[in-house]
Amino acid sequence: ESRKSDAYWIQGRPGDGDAATATSTQPVKVRVRDENGALIVTYKRKELRAETEVNDEREFTIDDRDAFEAFIADAGFSPASFKEKRTKRWTWEFADATEVGIELSLVERLGWFVELEVLAEGPDEGDIARIRGILLETLARCGIGEGSIETRYYTEMLDSLDRAGN
């Protein structure tokens, strides 16, 4: 079990001007997470391939949040959004030794979610198709149909609530 407090920082691509008005394909985002007292910085390159989210993710720990946030603020990042979630995590291993991380998460202001994750080093299209099948089978074993898959990121859903005044 863990509690995750996330702060997302955003920066526009070089030449885009102000981070708030960046219009490039995707602004650079950094997440600073406090997970049960451990500070973890994450940078992800996200994409959808065959309706499956594939992330190239880089993480490292820091021990001085104020110093790191001062540094990224000086580098042109600004706080964009915040998220709190409580999670319980399990691992399920399939017959082919593929491990699926399963998180049951309560995201403040949004509700309950099941998150599934398979870690793979440089997956090709065949790996992604195989992993997608494993993820869908895991959802089915949890009693969740494919039609219940939420494709938006938590930050998008929270931003929508904020824009609607909720």
Side-chain angles (χ1 to χ4, degrees):
E1 269 186 67
S2 65
R3 182 172 194 92
K4 300 174 183 180
S5 298
D6 297 341
Y8 293 86
W9 291 71
I10 190 169
Q11 177 192 49
R13 297 247 185 239
D16 284 341
D18 185 305
T21 61
T23 58
S24 66
T25 54
Q26 289 214 336
V28 177
K29 294 179 188 176
V30 173
R31 179 183 70 204
V32 179
R33 169 173 283 170
D34 182 337
E35 184 173 356
N36 300 332
L39 298 172
I40 304 160
V41 175
T42 304
Y43 167 73
K44 295 180 189 180
R45 289 186 185 106
K46 298 180 179 188
E47 62 178 293
L48 280 176
R49 286 200 241 162
E51 299 180 23
T52 303
E53 181 180 323
V54 178
N55 295 321
D56 177 10
E57 191 169 310
R58 311 299 169 130
E59 287 188 337
F60 57 92
T61 59
I62 56 174
D63 54 5
D64 188 334
R65 182 180 193 140
D66 291 338
F68 180 77
E69 288 182 342
F71 167 72
I72 60 175
D74 286 348
F77 286 78
S78 57
S81 58
F82 301 92
K83 175 184 79 211
E84 294 275 341
K85 69 178 180 177
R86 293 190 322 241
T87 65
K88 291 185 180 187
R89 183 171 176 83
W90 297 267
T91 301
W92 176 264
E93 187 172 322
F94 275 76
D96 69 355
T98 300
E99 289 188 355
V100 178
I102 304 168
E103 279 191 0
L104 177 62
S105 298
L106 176 59
V107 181
E108 284 188 16
R109 300 176 53 211
L110 295 178
W112 290 96
F113 294 85
V114 172
E115 297 180 47
L116 305 178
E117 176 180 67
V118 173
L119 300 178
E121 199 65 40
D124 62 24
E125 296 308 314
D127 292 327
I128 292 169
R130 181 184 63 78
I131 290 168
R132 178 172 174 72
I134 287 171
L135 294 172
L136 291 174
E137 182 179 337
T138 304
L139 276 179
R141 288 175 180 234
C142 293
I144 300 170
E146 190 174 344
S148 296
I149 295 174
E150 175 59 66
T151 59
R152 295 173 297 166
Y153 300 118
Y154 294 135
T155 52
E156 291 176 64
M157 291 185 278
L158 290 167
D159 288 347
S160 291
L161 286 177
D162 291 341
R163 283 192 301 276
N166 296 323

